[in-house]
Amino acid sequence: MGGGMRGSGKWLVVSGKWMLSWCVLLGCARAWAGTYYVTVAGLGGEPDYEQRFTANAMDLDKIFKSAVGAHVWTLTGKQSTKAKLTEVMSEAARDAKPEDDLVVTLIGHGSFDGVEYKFNLVGPDISAAELAGLCDKVVAKRQLIVDTSSASGGAVPVLERSGRAVIVATKSGTEKNATVFARYWVEALQDPTADTDKSDSISAMEAFAYADRKTAEFYTSQKRLATEHPEFEDTGKGDAVRAKPSEGREGALMATITVVRIGAAQAAMNDPAKRDLMAKKEELEQKIDGLKYEKAAMEPGEYKKELTAALVELAKVQAELDK
């Protein structure tokens, strides 16, 4: 995963106004970091679901294993137990460094009793609180949890935390029907059209928008009332939302998380001589995104100065990559 929101999240005064220090959050000039991917296909309950969940998980396994610096664990079938998941998360907690990233994807059925959300596994289920506890032990400062299960909306208040983006397939714990969101999340990571900004990478925000749109289109094409409404939360507090608003911080972290690289970006990552340039490029792209989010809090002259400097530097890095 590319550079993104990292560090202490301190605030600096710029031209008399407060703005988020994106250099601090992005960890400017950092060395290339790795990504820890944990994917779980939960209990299917019947053959059709079992096959579907496993197929989705194995597709992600293939996608993630093609990434440079990836550490991949994929649990399916009899391996999908709370004990095994705890073991895998403990390995990630032991090996991951603060500059690394953590991506946890849950595919399957979930339940919500009005108080507690649980993800269905072989044997004892795992609650949102237990999953949050496992993720909290991983020191990676940037984390992404994608819970594609039914009732997953009920997990957001427990899973959300500063520096962590949470994506769920349902708007609440009361949407309990089986979901199709996982299918389109996987598809988003394989379809170049999901890369709407043509950066040769698919961000969590781009993948979410793609999967959300495809999910809605599925119910329309089937002439069925939608029983799932995907949402996300990436500020560490507050309610989940359906789309990135025109103002506010919702979506800022999601827009800077690179889930997969494609095309030229993927080729560059496979070239050791270009990896550092790719890291610098992604940092600059994310700094530019950050400036756009903070534009309203900056003096116009300061905003233009910083944006121009970042764009010029980005052009230089791109020129080096194109050689």
Side-chain angles (χ1 to χ4, degrees):
M1 194 184 309
M5 299 184 71
R6 301 174 180 278
S8 63
K10 295 179 180 177
W11 293 76
L12 301 179
V13 177
V14 177
S15 303
K17 295 184 178 181
W18 292 96
M19 73 167 283
L20 194 56
S21 171
W22 282 81
C23 187
V24 172
L25 288 175
L26 291 172
C28 296
R30 67 179 176 86
W32 192 256
T35 303
Y36 288 75
Y37 294 99
V38 178
T39 303
V40 186
L43 188 65
E46 53 187 81
D48 178 54
Y49 286 125
E50 192 82 28
Q51 183 177 16
R52 186 191 311 175
F53 298 161
T54 298
N56 287 333
M58 295 313 298
D59 283 342
L60 289 181
D61 182 77
K62 182 178 180 180
I63 293 168
F64 295 150
K65 282 181 177 176
S66 69
V68 173
H71 308 265
V72 182
W73 292 273
T74 303
L75 305 181
T76 63
K78 295 181 179 179
Q79 291 291 305
S80 298
T81 66
K82 183 161 71 170
K84 185 62 178 179
L85 177 56
T86 300
E87 177 186 324
V88 163
M89 292 297 294
S90 296
E91 288 186 50
R94 181 193 66 205
D95 297 337
K97 299 176 178 61
E99 63 269 22
D100 292 325
D101 299 311
L102 173 69
V103 177
V104 177
T105 308
L106 306 180
I107 302 171
H109 296 307
S111 64
F112 184 70
D113 62 6
V115 177
E116 185 178 54
Y117 164 87
K118 290 186 177 182
F119 180 67
N120 300 163
L121 294 169
V122 177
D125 296 334
I126 188 167
S127 69
E130 290 170 326
L131 178 62
L134 293 176
C135 292
D136 287 344
K137 293 177 181 179
V138 181
V139 298
K141 291 182 178 178
R142 193 172 65 167
Q143 302 183 2
L144 170 66
I145 298 177
V146 184
D147 187 345
T148 70
S149 73
S150 50
S152 50
V156 174
V158 180
L159 294 177
E160 64 183 0
R161 193 196 74 175
S162 178
R164 178 183 295 157
V166 180
I167 293 173
V168 290
T170 74
K171 66 181 179 181
S172 70
T174 59
E175 291 190 323
K176 299 182 177 182
N177 288 4
T179 64
V180 298
F181 181 76
R183 177 195 314 174
Y184 299 115
W185 175 260
V186 174
E187 187 178 301
L189 303 183
Q190 299 171 309
D191 189 343
T193 65
D195 175 26
T196 55
D197 65 1
K198 306 306 178 185
S199 63
D200 282 334
S201 64
I202 298 173
S203 71
M205 191 72 247
E206 288 174 321
F208 174 83
Y210 179 104
D212 180 39
R213 184 183 75 253
K214 288 284 190 174
T215 297
E217 290 173 355
F218 167 81
Y219 286 98
T220 299
S221 68
Q222 296 294 310
K223 295 181 172 55
R224 291 167 50 186
L225 181 66
T227 55
E228 60 188 286
H229 299 84
E231 293 189 335
F232 69 87
E233 204 298 308
D234 69 344
T235 67
K237 58 183 179 180
D239 297 328
V241 296
R242 290 293 311 279
K244 183 171 63 174
S246 57
E247 296 182 358
R249 296 230 47 83
E250 292 92 345
L253 175 57
M254 293 266 290
T256 63
I257 295 177
T258 298
V259 185
V260 296
R261 296 177 186 81
I262 58 177
Q266 186 178 45
M269 284 303 299
N270 289 323
D271 182 350
K274 292 186 175 182
R275 287 177 195 167
D276 287 344
L277 285 171
M278 275 300 303
K280 182 63 176 177
K281 178 186 176 183
E282 291 186 355
E283 285 174 1
L284 287 166
E285 289 173 337
Q286 292 152 8
K287 181 180 181 180
I288 291 167
D289 286 339
L291 286 169
K292 291 177 180 177
Y293 270 97
E294 301 301 333
K295 181 179 180 180
M298 301 177 69
E299 293 292 339
E302 185 68 24
Y303 170 77
K304 183 177 180 181
K305 177 183 177 182
E306 292 197 28
L307 181 62
T308 300
L311 288 170
V312 169
E313 185 64 20
L314 178 60
K316 292 178 180 177
V317 172
Q318 186 63 59
E320 287 297 314
L321 282 167
D322 291 340
K323 287 182 178 178

